[in-house]
């Protein structure tokens, strides 16, 4: 045992100044943190009256995994490492699931009269003393991260959901009255409710969810996560906690808990596992009660790079050429959740440099970009898209990004801005690139203006990426390859097919997929397309023209990725409609 370990065990009060100084000195001596970061955390802990080690994680100075490893070294304890042993619940009559989950102390091994506990907080002595009091075994400790604890607890105590376990201490009685606001606030401030909401949020981040849905059902609340574009049911919250959980989320988002008749929007910023995560919160009343949707905005997992998003080198080269235009309009199209905003931010990152002035108008601002002036639309004070755009044009920008063209007035201002020497980026809801022209004409934009201002239109969708750890060869790959080459002959130029299918493993949550990638079609508005727009040709003719000039469809881009083993043909068919266009 190290000298630090003996000292720490002798003074094991994590709230004390002594612990803050000694643990800080240990981190500094081990080269884990610099003096500036340690001093910042110590000052924050002293000001907030919080524990020094917890402040390190809340401020994002140390990740949860690094903090657990550091505490283990400091205390001279081993760090739990997942092994091949088959875990099973131990001593459940003395250590019930509710106690284990509430105190984050997991019995993992009972060997030779010694009980090994994996503990999330080795500095909290009270639950450890409780275990010593009720069991007749020697106790050995290992430090475990919260994420690993929650995963193992879910496996070992699957019959008791975390919501039920956390709700156990709440005394039975009448449900919180939704008309008694003070009682509702008190219920939302109870430790089990706070812990439950925090667990729902942190579990969503760990699962790489893009959205959290908290929805009222007949006997409580249903919690669902959208992972890789697909919904998964996680757990149900007991009925008596329904009002308190909804209120807790609204309090975090600074919403009015008394208002349950109108939709509300807010934001939450939390430090999860040492990373700052933004959550966009929206509530809406339904016949069963308020439904809450939380969009998870994790900047650490978003790579604003065309290749990482799944775009092909040929598509990237064309995009770069289009973005080098001095003026005009570049549009991204697709339904909600098709990755348009991320692609738009990637474009802005590419064109952003000190010699250009870029403004954005967004509702809402999802990610903050350094060096770019971003404006938030606020409908309540009549600061809508047209009002923002008119004001921005007085600041002489080089480029403008409009989050979405929603009405004729916004479209007209975008066209006028491009005519006066600005490069405009925006999005529109259409199914294909060619249909965008028809949509803008239907909105009242003259066809001759479109022909002279449009520079490029890209339609895209998101498909799930096959898990690289468990994907396996398709048993009928040869037959599928023959069918695909009949509709897309260009696949033969990609070499032998590598058609795979999902299998499922622990890394991908047994879904067979992990992550998403874009499939896209790109329409460059060249002279021939301009003439087609001026002649008011229908979208299908413009699409045929694009195919003759080498622009592939989303379906063709998708099956090419399936051919290389990045996704499956079923995924491509799920998000696209394969239209056979006659070749000239």
């Amino acid at each position: 045992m190290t000298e630090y370990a003996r000292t720490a065990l002798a003074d094991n009060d994590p709230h004390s100044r002594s612990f803050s100084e000694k643990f800080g000195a240990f981190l500094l001596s081990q080269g884990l943190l610099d003096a500036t970061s340690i001093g910042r955390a110590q000052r924050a802990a002293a000001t907030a009256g919080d524990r020094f080690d917890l402040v390190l994680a809340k401020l994002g100075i140390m990740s949860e995994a690094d903090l657990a490893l550091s505490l283990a070294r400091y205390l001279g304890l081993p760090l739990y490492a997942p092994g091949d042993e088959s875990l099973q619940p131990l001593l459940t009559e003395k250590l019930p699931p509710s106690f284990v989950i509430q105190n984050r102390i997991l019995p993992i091994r009972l060997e030779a009269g010694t009980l090994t506990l994996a503990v999330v907080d080795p500095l909290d002595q009270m639950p450890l003393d409780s275990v010593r009091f009720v069991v007749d075994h020697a106790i050995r400790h290992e430090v475990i991260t919260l994420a690993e604890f929650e995963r193992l607890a879910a496996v070992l105590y699957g019959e008791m959901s975390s919501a039920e376990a956390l709700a156990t201490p709440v005394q039975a009685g009448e449900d919180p009255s939704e008309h008694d606001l003070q009682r509702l606030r008190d219920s939302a401030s109870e430790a089990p409710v706070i812990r439950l909401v925090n667990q729902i949020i942190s579990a969503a981040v760990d699962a790489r969810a893009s959205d959290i849905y908290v929805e009222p059902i007949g006997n409580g609340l249903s919690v669902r996560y959208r992972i890789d574009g697909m919904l998964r049911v996680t757990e149900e919250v007991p009925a008596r906690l329904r009002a308190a959980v909804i209120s807790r989320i609204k309090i975090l988002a600074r919403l009015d808990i008394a208002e349950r008749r109108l939709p509300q929007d807010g934001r939450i910023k939390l430090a999860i596992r040492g990373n700052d995560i933004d959550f966009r919160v929206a509530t809406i009343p339904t016949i069963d009660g308020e439904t809450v949707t939380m969009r998870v905005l994790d900047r650490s997992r978003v790579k604003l790079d065309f290749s990482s998003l799944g775009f092909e080198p040929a598509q990237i080269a064309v995009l770069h050429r289009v973005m080098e235009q001095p003026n005009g309009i570049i549009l991204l199209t697709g339904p909600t959740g098709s990755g348009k905003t991320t692609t738009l931010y990637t474009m802005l990152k590419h064109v952003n440099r000190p010699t250009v002035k870029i403004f954005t108008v967004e509702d809402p601002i999802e990610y903050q970009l350094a060096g770019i002036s971003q404006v938030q639309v606020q409908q309540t004070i009549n600061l809508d898209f047209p009002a923002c755009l008119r004001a921005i044009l007085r600041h002489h920008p080089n480029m403008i990004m409009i989050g979405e063209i929603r009405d004729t007035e916004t479209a007209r201002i975008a066209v006028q801005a491009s005519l006066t020497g600005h490069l405009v980026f925006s999005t529109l809801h259409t199914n294909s690139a060619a249909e965008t022209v028809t949509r803008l004409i239907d909105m009242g934009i003259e066809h001759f203006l479109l022909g002279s201002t449009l520079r490029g239109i890209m339609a895209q969708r998101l498909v799930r990426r096959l898990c690289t750890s468990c994907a396996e060869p398709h048993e009928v790959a040869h037959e599928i390859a023959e069918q695909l080459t009949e509709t897309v002959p260009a696949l033969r130029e990609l070499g032998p097919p590598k058609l795979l299918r999902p299998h499922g493993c622990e890394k991908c949550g047994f879904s067979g997929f992990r992550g998403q990638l874009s499939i896209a079609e790109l329409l460059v508005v060249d002279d021939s397309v301009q003439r087609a727009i001026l002649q008011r040709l229908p979208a299908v003719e413009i699409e045929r023209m694009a195919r003759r000039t080498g622009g592939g469809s989303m379906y063709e881009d998708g099956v090419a990725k399936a051919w290389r083993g990045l996704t499956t043909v079923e995924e491509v068919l799920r998000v696209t409609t394969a239209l056979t266009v006659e070749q000239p």
Side-chain angles (χ1 to χ4, degrees), residues 117-133:
L117 299 174
V119 298
V120 174
D121 186 359
L123 297 172
D124 187 359
Q125 291 297 313
M126 185 175 296
L128 296 175
D129 292 340
S130 300
V131 175
R132 292 189 186 97
F133 183 76

Side-chain angles (χ1 to χ4, degrees), residues 200-214 223-232 234 267-268 277-282 292-299 301-302 336-339 341-342 364 366-367 462-464 514-516 574:
I200 290 172
I201 292 174
S202 60
V205 173
D206 290 338
R208 303 173 297 101
S210 61
D211 298 274
I212 306 170
Y213 299 95
V214 183
V223 180
R224 296 192 290 172
Y225 298 156
R226 186 179 295 278
I227 303 172
D228 297 334
M230 306 296 287
L231 282 174
R232 297 185 194 175
T234 59
R267 296 182 79 98
I268 302 173
I277 312 292
D278 285 336
F279 299 87
R280 204 171 74 208
V281 181
V292 178
T293 299
M294 304 173 66
R295 171 64 61 89
V296 183
L297 303 174
D298 186 353
R299 295 182 182 90
R301 287 181 175 155
V302 176
T336 301
S338 59
T341 302
T342 302
E366 294 196 4
Y367 298 103
L462 291 178
V463 294
R464 291 183 291 173
R514 184 175 175 84
Q516 294 176 286
R574 180 177 65 86

Side-chain angles (χ1 to χ4, degrees), residues 370-400:
I372 295 178
S373 301
Q374 297 174 263
V375 181
Q376 168 70 56
V377 169
Q378 300 184 56
Q379 299 286 354
T380 55
I381 58 174
N382 296 322
L383 187 65
D384 53 11
F385 277 101
C388 288
L389 287 171
R390 283 191 291 268
I392 283 173
L393 290 175
R394 303 187 190 107
H395 291 261
H396 192 200
N398 300 97
M399 302 177 187
I400 301 171

